[in-house]
Amino acid sequence: GPIIMVQIENEYGSYGDDKVYLHHLVKIARGHLGYDIILYTTDGGLRESLEKGTIRGDAVFSAVDFTTGDDPWPCFHLQKEFNAPGKSPPLSAEFYTGWLTHWGENMAKTGADFTAAALENILMGNGSVVLYMAHGGTNFGFYNGANAAADGSDYKPDLTSYDYDAPIQESGDVDNTKFKALRRVINKYSRLSLPSVPSNNEKIGYGRIQLQKTAFLFDILNITSHTGMAESENPISMESAGQMSGFLLYVSEYAAKDNGNILSIPKVHDRAQVFILCPSKDDARRPTYMGTIERWSNKPVDLPYTDCPSSIWLLILVENMGHVNYGLSMFDKKGILSSVYLDGEILHGWKTFRVPFQNLGDKLKANPIIRTAYSNIITSAAQRSLKTSSKKAPKEPAFYAGCFTVNNLSQLKDTFISFRGWGKGIAFVNEFNIGRYWPSFGPQCNLYVPAPILHPGENVVVLFELESPGPGLAVNSVGRPDFKCGSSSSTVRQL
């Protein structure tokens, strides 16, 4: 078939040292793929990394990677030591054309001429590269990764966009200086003529999309019911609840003190919104937002005195912002991973509700409560005439839904949805999870919507907004990306 090389591990020498494990991967690969393909590993161009991450001999080829712009040839000479004699063509298995961006940062950019010069330095010596990335694309659904220090601190989740400042941009566009500069270098050292350059994909803005609030999350979950709920003495992790992405709602009870209470959670992965509710008061049926505890800052939350005849319900909604995908902290469990303390005392007795939503390809695995509710939301959005609510929405997680029309097949084009003015959440278009938005933190303002997600007629947009809906309860379909939210403002803290 078309597969000629398969990588059995990636930069394993940076965080592991287990040859039995590596040989086991080789055995699995050979069992499925046979002996006609080349197996290889990739490690940073340091002796220690290569010692740990490679298998010497000629059974597995050892490739290297290194920072773009560094002198590649010392790394290639070192690479030869870890391959059989005469079987070590210099290969940069990750030639970085750009870099990724985390929430709260400015978009990563690398110069076209700088990148092209680094590429030429390899090709002119008959070296080879794999462009990482040639096309970064999009972290649709909950598939964005994250980075963190070895001890799990300094957590930084990736944007929904994985544009990467790559030569082929997120939406597939190639009419840019970096694509042209790299193409010139490749053409110079290629023995074959290069194929013609395709045109950019057409894009369109479908305009304003009016939404309306369709449901509060806590009403859908029905926290008074035992359906879909687990009970435990202490909080359980998201993985222990049988869930790998999305959200988890923790519910407990406490007695209010005259001078209020202080809530602290030593270890939360990754972002917890705190609410309280007096269930015995007829005039206080909506939970009240108290504050947010974030993994990267982790500050206690003050719970003011609440006049309540019964115990107060404590609701903590924890969001999985993305798993760490590199380094010693990759074993990255999610949810509340420690005891919860109220005025320094451990709070016991927890109910846990799973809120996975659907990830890409996960429709049948989603929580049936959420699945049913979401189906009702999109049905009502497609059928009713939407009107803007004049009431100020409480700071409570809720669903907002609306429609826009594509008149015919010729109008089916790529688009972007702008979330300027909204808080934080996830968005679905025609039940496809297009990812997280967080314009208040930035830098990404717009989410990419490829044309194949759309269809002629009514197209349904559903937002799960965690904090504050935008003015007029509307979003906009526009014809371009926008990465100038949040971080460009001096009022937004960097991660």
Side-chain angles (χ1 to χ4, degrees):
I3 299 173
I4 59 174
M5 293 181 70
V6 172
Q7 185 176 355
I8 64 163
E9 250 295 4
N10 183 64
E11 298 179 334
Y12 180 64
S14 296
Y15 47 84
D17 186 8
D18 185 345
K19 299 300 183 183
V20 174
Y21 162 70
L22 292 176
H23 282 285
H24 179 67
L25 294 182
V26 172
K27 182 179 179 181
I28 292 174
R30 290 298 183 203
H32 286 284
L33 304 169
Y35 288 82
D36 292 334
I37 62 164
I38 297 172
L39 299 181
Y40 74 106
T41 57
T42 299
D43 286 283
L46 300 173
R47 182 173 297 278
E48 181 182 1
S49 298
L50 287 161
E51 290 281 2
K52 294 179 179 179
T54 63
I55 297 176
R56 289 180 181 268
D58 61 359
V60 179
F61 174 65
S62 301
V64 291
D65 59 27
F66 41 82
T67 302
T68 299
D70 284 357
D71 184 356
W73 296 103
C75 295
F76 290 146
H77 290 314
L78 181 62
Q79 175 196 4
K80 285 187 176 182
E81 296 183 27
F82 295 86
N83 285 308
K87 294 185 177 181
S88 189
L91 172 63
S92 171
E94 292 185 8
F95 177 83
Y96 304 111
T97 61
W99 202 245
L100 55 87
T101 303
H102 304 113
W103 289 108
E105 298 176 346
N106 292 317
M107 285 297 289
K109 296 287 182 181
T110 56
D113 292 341
F114 169 81
T115 307
L119 176 62
E120 184 159 21
N121 193 19
I122 295 174
L123 298 188
M124 68 189 301
N126 202 30
S128 299
V129 303
V130 177
L131 299 182
Y132 188 93
M133 305 291 294
H135 170 233
T138 308
N139 293 312
F140 290 122
F142 297 116
Y143 284 117
N144 71 288
N147 295 104
D151 62 357
S153 63
D154 196 29
Y155 174 78
K156 296 178 180 180
D158 299 345
L159 298 179
T160 296
S161 172
Y162 205 71
D163 180 80
Y164 207 83
D165 196 31
I168 304 175
Q169 295 172 341
E170 179 179 14
S171 58
D173 289 356
V174 295
D175 187 12
N176 61 79
T177 56
K178 184 171 286 185
F179 181 92
K180 294 173 182 176
L182 296 183
R183 180 181 168 88
R184 281 195 299 270
V185 172
I186 294 170
N187 187 54
K188 183 177 178 180
Y189 294 94
S190 175
R191 295 178 181 177
L192 302 175
S193 59
L194 301 184
S196 59
V197 178
S199 301
N200 287 346
N201 294 326
E202 289 189 66
K203 301 169 193 66
I204 193 172
Y206 294 102
R208 179 185 172 92
I209 305 171
Q210 184 62 60
L211 309 176
Q212 75 170 21
K213 183 175 66 186
T214 54
F216 285 112
L217 173 69
F218 298 143
D219 291 345
I220 292 176
L221 289 176
N222 188 7
I223 57 179
T224 62
S225 169
H226 288 264
T227 304
M229 179 265 291
E231 293 186 271
S232 58
E233 186 69 4
N234 295 299
I236 61 174
S237 69
M238 187 172 284
E239 290 77 11
S240 296
Q243 185 178 321
M244 293 302 295
S245 60
F247 302 77
L248 210 59
L249 176 64
Y250 299 85
V251 180
S252 189
E253 299 180 15
Y254 72 97
K257 292 183 179 179
D258 292 340
N259 58 348
N261 304 84
I262 297 177
L263 174 74
S264 62
I265 309 175
K267 194 172 184 180
V268 59
H269 287 187
D270 299 303
R271 193 170 185 268
Q273 292 172 275
V274 180
F275 303 83
I276 60 172
L277 171 68
C278 178
S280 57
K281 277 193 171 184
D282 292 335
D283 60 346
R285 289 297 183 184
R286 297 252 54 89
T288 303
Y289 172 74
M290 291 288 103
T292 299
I293 298 176
E294 297 166 322
R295 174 174 177 172
W296 48 89
S297 58
N298 203 304
K299 298 179 180 178
V301 171
D302 291 330
L303 306 180
Y305 171 72
T306 300
D307 183 15
C308 184
S310 63
S311 294
I312 298 173
W313 286 1
L314 174 66
L315 294 80
I316 305 174
L317 181 65
V318 178
E319 179 182 5
N320 173 349
M321 287 285 293
H323 287 90
V324 175
N325 56 22
Y326 174 80
L328 295 173
S329 56
M330 281 200 302
F331 191 64
D332 184 32
K333 284 189 174 183
K334 299 300 184 179
I336 295 178
L337 306 179
S338 66
S339 295
V340 175
Y341 293 86
L342 207 61
D343 302 319
E345 299 292 330
I346 295 177
L347 185 61
H348 294 289
W350 291 90
K351 299 175 183 177
T352 305
F353 297 83
R354 297 171 61 245
V355 195
F357 296 106
Q358 81 231 46
N359 206 348
L360 304 182
D362 278 355
K363 277 188 181 180
L364 298 179
K365 300 178 183 178
N367 184 315
I369 300 173
I370 298 298
R371 181 69 249 158
T372 301
Y374 180 67
S375 297
N376 292 340
I377 287 167
I378 63 173
T379 300
S380 63
Q383 291 178 348
R384 80 175 57 133
S385 175
L386 304 180
K387 296 180 180 179
T388 303
S389 172
S390 60
K391 295 182 180 179
K392 183 178 180 181
K395 196 168 185 178
E396 179 184 342
F399 293 91
Y400 298 82
C403 301
F404 66 95
T405 301
V406 177
N407 291 326
N408 50 57
L409 278 173
S410 65
Q411 277 198 337
L412 279 178
K413 310 292 183 186
D414 287 2
T415 190
F416 297 83
I417 294 182
S418 172
F419 294 90
R420 280 186 176 270
W422 288 73
K424 186 182 194 301
I426 56 175
F428 300 84
V429 176
N430 294 334
E431 299 194 59
F432 183 91
N433 187 338
I434 63 171
R436 308 173 199 269
Y437 62 88
W438 198 4
S440 59
F441 207 62
Q444 185 170 5
C445 312
N446 301 354
L447 293 185
Y448 175 51
V449 184
I453 295 174
L454 308 177
H455 53 247
E458 295 296 312
N459 292 265
V460 179
V461 177
V462 175
L463 310 186
F464 175 53
E465 170 60 49
L466 292 165
E467 297 179 345
S468 52
L473 299 189
V475 294
N476 288 285
S477 168
V478 298
R480 63 192 181 280
D482 183 357
F483 295 102
K484 296 182 179 179
C485 277
S487 60
S488 61
S489 170
S490 60
T491 62
V492 177
R493 174 182 57 80
Q494 297 287 313
L495 276 174

